[in-house]
DNA sequence: TGATATATTAGATTTAGTCCAATTCCATGA
DNA sequence: TCATGGAATTGGACTAAATCTAATATATCA
């Protein structure tokens, strides 16, 4: 996991939201503070639990609303690793993920699929939205 | 979608199951008949509905048990495209998927990620289980 | 200030998937 | 042929992620 800030240097949370066309309410700023202070992979429930632990007054519905909004606006990326866990990744730059099916760990890996290969094969009448690469791994022996 | 049989020529459903170390009960044979007669992507519920429509006596629990068993034994591949849809792919050979977020369509694409790139980056103490590439697309304009 | 649009909320609802305990199936051996 | 026991199947209860709803709160602007 990359521990650098997910925010470009010198850019605060409010700016980050405003520039994405998101009205910076107090809940959104607080959740953004949790999500964007470093690259990480969190589930909706983990975000909710962290928020509560930090004393932020927010409901589960708002956590989901906000996560979906951030995804729509390109600030977060959703990663589907199995039927019961959606992760939200604050690193929206192209990269792969390792998913350990034994312990649920999700880690990053440099890499991207050749654009031209994909563009040449796009189904008729569609445009590219994103590429998700999940490499499933198991603990050895 | 590839419409060729997912079964090698001259190999029937019973053999396919037995060779995978799966005891070929009547429900399993019936479900295998639905799943493996051609390459396709089905959800658990679609499998259940087709089975019922064909007059196969089977419960939802058995559909889930059987799908999970087939996945464990390498006969099916799970594809997670969003939080509420798991597809089962009867093509277990390496390939990519296009997922149309507007209409839910899932289609195949030739392609694979370079093995050496992945092997060089495997997390400590893990072994490769599989690589899932999902290219999200939207309908144009 | 009042009017309006947007955001938040608790709790109900939905739904994919799993769990459970009872029943059925079936290969084997006496 | 029948009895035995392990495996498979079953309906229904259950779980948990995510969405929906309608009421309330908050912010903007005329």
């Amino acid at each position: 996991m990359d521990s650098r800030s997910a925010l470009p240097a010198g850019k605060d949370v409010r700016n980050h939201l405003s520039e994405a066309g998101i009205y910076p309410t107090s809940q959104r700023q607080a959740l953004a503070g949790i999500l964007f202070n470093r690259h990480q992979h969190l589930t909706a429930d983990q975000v909710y639990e962290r928020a509560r632990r930090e004393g932020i007054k927010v409901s589960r519905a708002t956590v989901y609303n906000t996560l979906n909004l951030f995804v729509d606006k390109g600030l977060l990326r959703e990663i589907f690793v199995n039927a019961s866990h959606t992760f939200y990744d604050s690193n929206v730059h192209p990269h792969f993920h390792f998913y350990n099916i034994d312990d649920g760990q999700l880690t990053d890996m440099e890499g991207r699929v050749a654009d031209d290969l994909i563009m040449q094969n796009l189904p008729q009448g569609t445009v590219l939205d994103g590429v998700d690469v999940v490499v499933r791994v198991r603990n050895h022996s």
Side-chain angles (χ1 to χ4, degrees), chain A residues 23 44-45 60-61 64 68 83-86 88:
Chain A
Y23 188 86
D45 212 58
R60 264 204 175 73
Y64 278 103
N68 286 335
S84 59
H85 279 116
T86 300
Y88 292 87

mmCIF file of all heavy atoms in Angstrom, chain A residues 23 44-45 60-61 64 68 83-86 88, chain D residues 16-22 25-29:
data_model
loop_
_atom_site.group_PDB
_atom_site.id
_atom_site.type_symbol
_atom_site.label_atom_id
_atom_site.label_comp_id
_atom_site.label_asym_id
_atom_site.label_seq_id
_atom_site.Cartn_x
_atom_site.Cartn_y
_atom_site.Cartn_z
ATOM 1 N N TYR A 23 -20.171 20.072 -3.841
ATOM 2 C CA TYR A 23 -20.421 21.043 -2.800
ATOM 3 C C TYR A 23 -19.851 20.508 -1.489
ATOM 4 O O TYR A 23 -20.235 19.425 -1.039
ATOM 5 C CB TYR A 23 -21.922 21.300 -2.685
ATOM 6 C CG TYR A 23 -22.243 22.435 -1.775
ATOM 7 C CD1 TYR A 23 -22.259 23.727 -2.263
ATOM 8 C CD2 TYR A 23 -22.476 22.215 -0.420
ATOM 9 C CE1 TYR A 23 -22.507 24.786 -1.405
ATOM 10 C CE2 TYR A 23 -22.723 23.265 0.436
ATOM 11 C CZ TYR A 23 -22.731 24.552 -0.066
ATOM 12 O OH TYR A 23 -22.967 25.598 0.775
ATOM 13 N N ALA A 44 -17.096 0.522 2.617
ATOM 14 C CA ALA A 44 -18.036 1.537 3.095
ATOM 15 C C ALA A 44 -18.153 1.459 4.617
ATOM 16 O O ALA A 44 -18.184 2.480 5.311
ATOM 17 C CB ALA A 44 -19.405 1.343 2.435
ATOM 18 N N ASP A 45 -18.199 0.243 5.119
ATOM 19 C CA ASP A 45 -18.352 0.061 6.555
ATOM 20 C C ASP A 45 -17.123 0.548 7.325
ATOM 21 O O ASP A 45 -17.254 1.110 8.407
ATOM 22 C CB ASP A 45 -18.617 -1.410 6.875
ATOM 23 C CG ASP A 45 -19.498 -1.541 8.101
ATOM 24 O OD1 ASP A 45 -20.614 -0.993 8.074
ATOM 25 O OD2 ASP A 45 -19.047 -2.171 9.084
ATOM 26 N N ARG A 60 -25.045 6.100 7.997
ATOM 27 C CA ARG A 60 -24.604 5.139 6.977
ATOM 28 C C ARG A 60 -25.071 5.572 5.587
ATOM 29 O O ARG A 60 -24.321 5.486 4.621
ATOM 30 C CB ARG A 60 -25.189 3.756 7.277
ATOM 31 C CG ARG A 60 -24.273 2.867 8.017
ATOM 32 C CD ARG A 60 -24.594 1.398 7.804
ATOM 33 N NE ARG A 60 -23.579 0.580 8.453
ATOM 34 C CZ ARG A 60 -23.477 0.433 9.759
ATOM 35 N NH1 ARG A 60 -24.339 1.048 10.548
ATOM 36 N NH2 ARG A 60 -22.514 -0.297 10.273
ATOM 37 N N ALA A 61 -26.318 6.044 5.502
ATOM 38 C CA ALA A 61 -26.853 6.462 4.195
ATOM 39 C C ALA A 61 -25.976 7.531 3.571
ATOM 40 O O ALA A 61 -25.687 7.499 2.372
ATOM 41 C CB ALA A 61 -28.284 6.956 4.357
ATOM 42 N N TYR A 64 -22.749 6.083 2.166
ATOM 43 C CA TYR A 64 -22.972 5.485 0.842
ATOM 44 C C TYR A 64 -23.210 6.561 -0.214
ATOM 45 O O TYR A 64 -22.653 6.505 -1.308
ATOM 46 C CB TYR A 64 -24.155 4.512 0.890
ATOM 47 C CG TYR A 64 -23.766 3.145 1.415
ATOM 48 C CD1 TYR A 64 -24.073 2.769 2.710
ATOM 49 C CD2 TYR A 64 -23.081 2.244 0.604
ATOM 50 C CE1 TYR A 64 -23.707 1.509 3.196
ATOM 51 C CE2 TYR A 64 -22.712 0.997 1.073
ATOM 52 C CZ TYR A 64 -23.030 0.632 2.372
ATOM 53 O OH TYR A 64 -22.671 -0.595 2.844
ATOM 54 N N ASN A 68 -20.610 7.073 -3.381
ATOM 55 C CA ASN A 68 -21.088 6.999 -4.769
ATOM 56 C C ASN A 68 -20.857 8.314 -5.514
ATOM 57 O O ASN A 68 -20.478 8.304 -6.691
ATOM 58 C CB ASN A 68 -22.572 6.642 -4.795
ATOM 59 C CG ASN A 68 -22.799 5.180 -4.442
ATOM 60 O OD1 ASN A 68 -21.913 4.338 -4.630
ATOM 61 N ND2 ASN A 68 -23.963 4.866 -3.911
ATOM 62 N N ALA A 83 -18.370 -11.138 -3.892
ATOM 63 C CA ALA A 83 -19.775 -10.743 -3.844
ATOM 64 C C ALA A 83 -20.102 -9.886 -2.626
ATOM 65 O O ALA A 83 -21.088 -9.180 -2.625
ATOM 66 C CB ALA A 83 -20.654 -11.990 -3.865
ATOM 67 N N SER A 84 -19.267 -9.914 -1.596
ATOM 68 C CA SER A 84 -19.653 -9.240 -0.361
ATOM 69 C C SER A 84 -18.740 -8.094 0.043
ATOM 70 O O SER A 84 -18.911 -7.559 1.131
ATOM 71 C CB SER A 84 -19.765 -10.252 0.777
ATOM 72 O OG SER A 84 -18.546 -10.920 0.974
ATOM 73 N N HIS A 85 -17.789 -7.724 -0.789
ATOM 74 C CA HIS A 85 -16.918 -6.615 -0.419
ATOM 75 C C HIS A 85 -16.578 -5.705 -1.591
ATOM 76 O O HIS A 85 -15.944 -6.124 -2.543
ATOM 77 C CB HIS A 85 -15.628 -7.127 0.210
ATOM 78 C CG HIS A 85 -15.773 -7.486 1.654
ATOM 79 N ND1 HIS A 85 -15.611 -8.754 2.111
ATOM 80 C CD2 HIS A 85 -16.095 -6.726 2.727
ATOM 81 C CE1 HIS A 85 -15.822 -8.764 3.416
ATOM 82 N NE2 HIS A 85 -16.115 -7.557 3.815
ATOM 83 N N THR A 86 -17.011 -4.464 -1.458
ATOM 84 C CA THR A 86 -16.606 -3.432 -2.402
ATOM 85 C C THR A 86 -15.592 -2.543 -1.708
ATOM 86 O O THR A 86 -15.853 -2.032 -0.620
ATOM 87 C CB THR A 86 -17.804 -2.576 -2.824
ATOM 88 O OG1 THR A 86 -18.779 -3.407 -3.434
ATOM 89 C CG2 THR A 86 -17.375 -1.499 -3.808
ATOM 90 N N TYR A 88 -13.127 0.916 -1.788
ATOM 91 C CA TYR A 88 -13.012 2.238 -2.403
ATOM 92 C C TYR A 88 -11.553 2.646 -2.329
ATOM 93 O O TYR A 88 -10.954 2.687 -1.253
ATOM 94 C CB TYR A 88 -13.915 3.242 -1.686
ATOM 95 C CG TYR A 88 -15.369 2.921 -1.935
ATOM 96 C CD1 TYR A 88 -16.048 2.017 -1.122
ATOM 97 C CD2 TYR A 88 -16.044 3.479 -3.011
ATOM 98 C CE1 TYR A 88 -17.375 1.687 -1.384
ATOM 99 C CE2 TYR A 88 -17.365 3.168 -3.271
ATOM 100 C CZ TYR A 88 -18.022 2.261 -2.454
ATOM 101 O OH TYR A 88 -19.329 1.937 -2.708
ATOM 102 P P DA D 16 -23.861 -10.672 9.781
ATOM 103 O OP1 DA D 16 -22.529 -11.097 10.265
ATOM 104 O OP2 DA D 16 -24.792 -9.922 10.643
ATOM 105 O "O5'" DA D 16 -23.651 -9.857 8.444
ATOM 106 C "C5'" DA D 16 -23.245 -10.542 7.260
ATOM 107 C "C4'" DA D 16 -23.332 -9.585 6.119
ATOM 108 O "O4'" DA D 16 -24.669 -9.596 5.571
ATOM 109 C "C3'" DA D 16 -23.061 -8.128 6.495
ATOM 110 O "O3'" DA D 16 -22.383 -7.515 5.415
ATOM 111 C "C2'" DA D 16 -24.449 -7.536 6.659
ATOM 112 C "C1'" DA D 16 -25.183 -8.284 5.553
ATOM 113 N N9 DA D 16 -26.616 -8.376 5.745
ATOM 114 C C8 DA D 16 -27.312 -8.329 6.920
ATOM 115 N N7 DA D 16 -28.609 -8.443 6.772
ATOM 116 C C5 DA D 16 -28.773 -8.571 5.402
ATOM 117 C C6 DA D 16 -29.902 -8.724 4.602
ATOM 118 N N6 DA D 16 -31.147 -8.779 5.080
ATOM 119 N N1 DA D 16 -29.718 -8.809 3.265
ATOM 120 C C2 DA D 16 -28.464 -8.752 2.784
ATOM 121 N N3 DA D 16 -27.320 -8.618 3.439
ATOM 122 C C4 DA D 16 -27.548 -8.529 4.760
ATOM 123 P P DA D 17 -21.617 -6.135 5.580
ATOM 124 O OP1 DA D 17 -20.194 -6.430 5.831
ATOM 125 O OP2 DA D 17 -22.378 -5.262 6.481
ATOM 126 O "O5'" DA D 17 -21.754 -5.585 4.099
ATOM 127 C "C5'" DA D 17 -21.505 -6.440 2.996
ATOM 128 C "C4'" DA D 17 -22.229 -5.893 1.804
ATOM 129 O "O4'" DA D 17 -23.649 -6.085 1.968
ATOM 130 C "C3'" DA D 17 -22.020 -4.409 1.582
ATOM 131 O "O3'" DA D 17 -21.817 -4.208 0.190
ATOM 132 C "C2'" DA D 17 -23.319 -3.767 2.071
ATOM 133 C "C1'" DA D 17 -24.335 -4.862 1.820
ATOM 134 N N9 DA D 17 -25.459 -4.907 2.764
ATOM 135 C C8 DA D 17 -25.406 -4.816 4.123
ATOM 136 N N7 DA D 17 -26.591 -4.912 4.706
ATOM 137 C C5 DA D 17 -27.467 -5.082 3.648
ATOM 138 C C6 DA D 17 -28.862 -5.251 3.602
ATOM 139 N N6 DA D 17 -29.654 -5.277 4.671
ATOM 140 N N1 DA D 17 -29.438 -5.394 2.383
ATOM 141 C C2 DA D 17 -28.652 -5.381 1.294
ATOM 142 N N3 DA D 17 -27.326 -5.234 1.216
ATOM 143 C C4 DA D 17 -26.792 -5.084 2.450
ATOM 144 P P DA D 18 -21.366 -2.767 -0.367
ATOM 145 O OP1 DA D 18 -20.626 -3.019 -1.609
ATOM 146 O OP2 DA D 18 -20.780 -1.966 0.726
ATOM 147 O "O5'" DA D 18 -22.767 -2.133 -0.759
ATOM 148 C "C5'" DA D 18 -23.582 -2.823 -1.699
ATOM 149 C "C4'" DA D 18 -24.947 -2.199 -1.725
ATOM 150 O "O4'" DA D 18 -25.654 -2.507 -0.521
ATOM 151 C "C3'" DA D 18 -24.944 -0.672 -1.829
ATOM 152 O "O3'" DA D 18 -25.426 -0.330 -3.129
ATOM 153 C "C2'" DA D 18 -25.868 -0.209 -0.701
ATOM 154 C "C1'" DA D 18 -26.606 -1.494 -0.328
ATOM 155 N N9 DA D 18 -27.044 -1.562 1.062
ATOM 156 C C8 DA D 18 -26.271 -1.422 2.191
ATOM 157 N N7 DA D 18 -26.947 -1.537 3.308
ATOM 158 C C5 DA D 18 -28.253 -1.757 2.888
ATOM 159 C C6 DA D 18 -29.457 -1.958 3.584
ATOM 160 N N6 DA D 18 -29.545 -1.965 4.914
ATOM 161 N N1 DA D 18 -30.587 -2.149 2.854
ATOM 162 C C2 DA D 18 -30.497 -2.139 1.515
ATOM 163 N N3 DA D 18 -29.422 -1.965 0.746
ATOM 164 C C4 DA D 18 -28.329 -1.777 1.502
ATOM 165 P P DT D 19 -25.821 1.141 -3.539
ATOM 166 O OP1 DT D 19 -25.525 1.229 -4.979
ATOM 167 O OP2 DT D 19 -25.255 2.097 -2.566
ATOM 168 O "O5'" DT D 19 -27.407 1.168 -3.367
ATOM 169 C "C5'" DT D 19 -28.179 0.107 -3.897
ATOM 170 C "C4'" DT D 19 -29.630 0.343 -3.547
ATOM 171 O "O4'" DT D 19 -29.817 0.172 -2.124
ATOM 172 C "C3'" DT D 19 -30.142 1.744 -3.884
ATOM 173 O "O3'" DT D 19 -31.353 1.570 -4.601
ATOM 174 C "C2'" DT D 19 -30.325 2.406 -2.515
ATOM 175 C "C1'" DT D 19 -30.640 1.214 -1.631
ATOM 176 N N1 DT D 19 -30.311 1.349 -0.187
ATOM 177 C C2 DT D 19 -31.299 1.130 0.740
ATOM 178 O O2 DT D 19 -32.457 0.863 0.444
ATOM 179 N N3 DT D 19 -30.900 1.235 2.046
ATOM 180 C C4 DT D 19 -29.629 1.517 2.509
ATOM 181 O O4 DT D 19 -29.400 1.584 3.715
ATOM 182 C C5 DT D 19 -28.642 1.744 1.488
ATOM 183 C C7 DT D 19 -27.228 2.074 1.881
ATOM 184 C C6 DT D 19 -29.020 1.643 0.207
ATOM 185 P P DC D 20 -32.141 2.798 -5.204
ATOM 186 O OP1 DC D 20 -32.736 2.345 -6.486
ATOM 187 O OP2 DC D 20 -31.287 3.992 -5.156
ATOM 188 O "O5'" DC D 20 -33.323 2.975 -4.149
ATOM 189 C "C5'" DC D 20 -34.039 1.820 -3.727
ATOM 190 C "C4'" DC D 20 -35.121 2.237 -2.749
ATOM 191 O "O4'" DC D 20 -34.555 2.357 -1.420
ATOM 192 C "C3'" DC D 20 -35.777 3.575 -3.062
ATOM 193 O "O3'" DC D 20 -37.173 3.389 -2.943
ATOM 194 C "C2'" DC D 20 -35.206 4.529 -2.010
ATOM 195 C "C1'" DC D 20 -34.936 3.588 -0.839
ATOM 196 N N1 DC D 20 -33.810 3.949 0.081
ATOM 197 C C2 DC D 20 -34.017 3.908 1.460
ATOM 198 O O2 DC D 20 -35.146 3.626 1.884
ATOM 199 N N3 DC D 20 -32.982 4.195 2.291
ATOM 200 C C4 DC D 20 -31.778 4.485 1.790
ATOM 201 N N4 DC D 20 -30.791 4.738 2.648
ATOM 202 C C5 DC D 20 -31.543 4.528 0.382
ATOM 203 C C6 DC D 20 -32.580 4.259 -0.435
ATOM 204 P P DT D 21 -38.193 4.555 -3.330
ATOM 205 O OP1 DT D 21 -39.347 3.879 -3.954
ATOM 206 O OP2 DT D 21 -37.467 5.637 -4.042
ATOM 207 O "O5'" DT D 21 -38.648 5.130 -1.912
ATOM 208 C "C5'" DT D 21 -38.955 4.241 -0.855
ATOM 209 C "C4'" DT D 21 -39.408 5.065 0.334
ATOM 210 O "O4'" DT D 21 -38.291 5.283 1.225
ATOM 211 C "C3'" DT D 21 -39.930 6.452 -0.047
ATOM 212 O "O3'" DT D 21 -41.036 6.777 0.776
ATOM 213 C "C2'" DT D 21 -38.749 7.360 0.241
ATOM 214 C "C1'" DT D 21 -38.152 6.675 1.470
ATOM 215 N N1 DT D 21 -36.710 6.934 1.719
ATOM 216 C C2 DT D 21 -36.264 6.966 3.030
ATOM 217 O O2 DT D 21 -36.980 6.802 3.985
ATOM 218 N N3 DT D 21 -34.914 7.202 3.158
ATOM 219 C C4 DT D 21 -34.012 7.416 2.148
ATOM 220 O O4 DT D 21 -32.831 7.616 2.395
ATOM 221 C C5 DT D 21 -34.552 7.372 0.808
ATOM 222 C C7 DT D 21 -33.650 7.605 -0.356
ATOM 223 C C6 DT D 21 -35.858 7.138 0.653
ATOM 224 P P DA D 22 -42.154 7.779 0.235
ATOM 225 O OP1 DA D 22 -43.184 6.985 -0.435
ATOM 226 O OP2 DA D 22 -41.491 8.906 -0.470
ATOM 227 O "O5'" DA D 22 -42.756 8.364 1.582
ATOM 228 C "C5'" DA D 22 -42.359 7.809 2.844
ATOM 229 C "C4'" DA D 22 -41.854 8.915 3.732
ATOM 230 O "O4'" DA D 22 -40.407 9.033 3.588
ATOM 231 C "C3'" DA D 22 -42.403 10.305 3.444
ATOM 232 O "O3'" DA D 22 -42.455 10.978 4.682
ATOM 233 C "C2'" DA D 22 -41.304 10.920 2.585
ATOM 234 C "C1'" DA D 22 -40.112 10.410 3.386
ATOM 235 N N9 DA D 22 -38.804 10.514 2.740
ATOM 236 C C8 DA D 22 -38.516 10.655 1.407
ATOM 237 N N7 DA D 22 -37.223 10.713 1.152
ATOM 238 C C5 DA D 22 -36.624 10.599 2.394
ATOM 239 C C6 DA D 22 -35.283 10.590 2.808
ATOM 240 N N6 DA D 22 -34.252 10.699 1.967
ATOM 241 N N1 DA D 22 -35.036 10.472 4.130
ATOM 242 C C2 DA D 22 -36.068 10.366 4.977
ATOM 243 N N3 DA D 22 -37.378 10.349 4.706
ATOM 244 C C4 DA D 22 -37.592 10.473 3.385
ATOM 245 P P DA D 25 -35.211 18.978 12.302
ATOM 246 O OP1 DA D 25 -34.739 18.727 13.683
ATOM 247 O OP2 DA D 25 -36.259 19.982 12.024
ATOM 248 O "O5'" DA D 25 -33.926 19.344 11.417
ATOM 249 C "C5'" DA D 25 -32.853 18.409 11.374
ATOM 250 C "C4'" DA D 25 -31.819 18.919 10.398
ATOM 251 O "O4'" DA D 25 -32.370 18.903 9.059
ATOM 252 C "C3'" DA D 25 -31.349 20.347 10.657
ATOM 253 O "O3'" DA D 25 -29.939 20.322 10.585
ATOM 254 C "C2'" DA D 25 -31.986 21.145 9.514
ATOM 255 C "C1'" DA D 25 -32.043 20.117 8.413
ATOM 256 N N9 DA D 25 -33.071 20.296 7.390
ATOM 257 C C8 DA D 25 -34.411 20.403 7.571
ATOM 258 N N7 DA D 25 -35.090 20.520 6.459
ATOM 259 C C5 DA D 25 -34.126 20.479 5.468
ATOM 260 C C6 DA D 25 -34.196 20.552 4.064
ATOM 261 N N6 DA D 25 -35.340 20.685 3.387
ATOM 262 N N1 DA D 25 -33.022 20.484 3.380
ATOM 263 C C2 DA D 25 -31.875 20.350 4.066
ATOM 264 N N3 DA D 25 -31.685 20.260 5.374
ATOM 265 C C4 DA D 25 -32.861 20.329 6.026
ATOM 266 P P DT D 26 -29.067 21.561 11.088
ATOM 267 O OP1 DT D 26 -27.962 21.017 11.894
ATOM 268 O OP2 DT D 26 -30.000 22.600 11.607
ATOM 269 O "O5'" DT D 26 -28.436 22.123 9.743
ATOM 270 C "C5'" DT D 26 -27.909 21.202 8.789
ATOM 271 C "C4'" DT D 26 -27.736 21.908 7.469
ATOM 272 O "O4'" DT D 26 -28.995 21.971 6.768
ATOM 273 C "C3'" DT D 26 -27.253 23.358 7.593
ATOM 274 O "O3'" DT D 26 -26.010 23.454 6.937
ATOM 275 C "C2'" DT D 26 -28.352 24.184 6.926
ATOM 276 C "C1'" DT D 26 -29.002 23.155 6.016
ATOM 277 N N1 DT D 26 -30.422 23.401 5.632
ATOM 278 C C2 DT D 26 -30.741 23.449 4.292
ATOM 279 O O2 DT D 26 -29.915 23.310 3.410
ATOM 280 N N3 DT D 26 -32.073 23.665 4.028
ATOM 281 C C4 DT D 26 -33.094 23.841 4.942
ATOM 282 O O4 DT D 26 -34.237 24.025 4.586
ATOM 283 C C5 DT D 26 -32.684 23.784 6.324
ATOM 284 C C7 DT D 26 -33.711 23.964 7.385
ATOM 285 C C6 DT D 26 -31.380 23.562 6.611
ATOM 286 P P DA D 27 -25.134 24.811 6.976
ATOM 287 O OP1 DA D 27 -23.707 24.451 7.071
ATOM 288 O OP2 DA D 27 -25.748 25.751 7.932
ATOM 289 O "O5'" DA D 27 -25.396 25.354 5.505
ATOM 290 C "C5'" DA D 27 -25.012 24.545 4.388
ATOM 291 C "C4'" DA D 27 -25.490 25.209 3.122
ATOM 292 O "O4'" DA D 27 -26.932 25.227 3.119
ATOM 293 C "C3'" DA D 27 -25.031 26.657 2.988
ATOM 294 O "O3'" DA D 27 -24.432 26.805 1.715
ATOM 295 C "C2'" DA D 27 -26.310 27.481 3.139
ATOM 296 C "C1'" DA D 27 -27.393 26.495 2.711
ATOM 297 N N9 DA D 27 -28.691 26.681 3.360
ATOM 298 C C8 DA D 27 -28.947 26.803 4.685
ATOM 299 N N7 DA D 27 -30.221 26.940 4.980
ATOM 300 C C5 DA D 27 -30.841 26.903 3.743
ATOM 301 C C6 DA D 27 -32.187 27.000 3.358
ATOM 302 N N6 DA D 27 -33.200 27.166 4.226
ATOM 303 N N1 DA D 27 -32.460 26.931 2.034
ATOM 304 C C2 DA D 27 -31.459 26.774 1.174
ATOM 305 N N3 DA D 27 -30.153 26.667 1.414
ATOM 306 C C4 DA D 27 -29.906 26.732 2.731
ATOM 307 P P DT D 28 -23.868 28.249 1.259
ATOM 308 O OP1 DT D 28 -22.649 28.013 0.487
ATOM 309 O OP2 DT D 28 -23.873 29.184 2.411
ATOM 310 O "O5'" DT D 28 -25.009 28.716 0.243
ATOM 311 C "C5'" DT D 28 -25.402 27.799 -0.797
ATOM 312 C "C4'" DT D 28 -26.383 28.507 -1.720
ATOM 313 O "O4'" DT D 28 -27.689 28.548 -1.098
ATOM 314 C "C3'" DT D 28 -26.005 29.950 -2.033
ATOM 315 O "O3'" DT D 28 -26.196 30.165 -3.425
ATOM 316 C "C2'" DT D 28 -26.936 30.780 -1.161
ATOM 317 C "C1'" DT D 28 -28.170 29.875 -1.092
ATOM 318 N N1 DT D 28 -29.023 30.001 0.126
ATOM 319 C C2 DT D 28 -30.391 29.979 -0.036
ATOM 320 O O2 DT D 28 -30.938 29.859 -1.105
ATOM 321 N N3 DT D 28 -31.096 30.095 1.143
ATOM 322 C C4 DT D 28 -30.586 30.223 2.418
ATOM 323 O O4 DT D 28 -31.324 30.313 3.386
ATOM 324 C C5 DT D 28 -29.149 30.250 2.507
ATOM 325 C C7 DT D 28 -28.491 30.401 3.845
ATOM 326 C C6 DT D 28 -28.445 30.143 1.371
ATOM 327 P P DC D 29 -25.592 31.488 -4.111
ATOM 328 O OP1 DC D 29 -24.946 31.079 -5.370
ATOM 329 O OP2 DC D 29 -24.849 32.304 -3.114
ATOM 330 O "O5'" DC D 29 -26.935 32.264 -4.473
ATOM 331 C "C5'" DC D 29 -28.100 31.513 -4.826
ATOM 332 C "C4'" DC D 29 -29.320 32.433 -4.759
ATOM 333 O "O4'" DC D 29 -29.898 32.371 -3.435
ATOM 334 C "C3'" DC D 29 -29.002 33.913 -5.000
ATOM 335 O "O3'" DC D 29 -30.110 34.488 -5.657
ATOM 336 C "C2'" DC D 29 -28.892 34.457 -3.584
ATOM 337 C "C1'" DC D 29 -30.053 33.694 -2.953
ATOM 338 N N1 DC D 29 -30.075 33.663 -1.482
ATOM 339 C C2 DC D 29 -31.289 33.468 -0.836
ATOM 340 O O2 DC D 29 -32.312 33.323 -1.506
ATOM 341 N N3 DC D 29 -31.325 33.448 0.518
ATOM 342 C C4 DC D 29 -30.192 33.620 1.216
ATOM 343 N N4 DC D 29 -30.276 33.579 2.543
ATOM 344 C C5 DC D 29 -28.933 33.809 0.572
ATOM 345 C C6 DC D 29 -28.913 33.827 -0.765
#
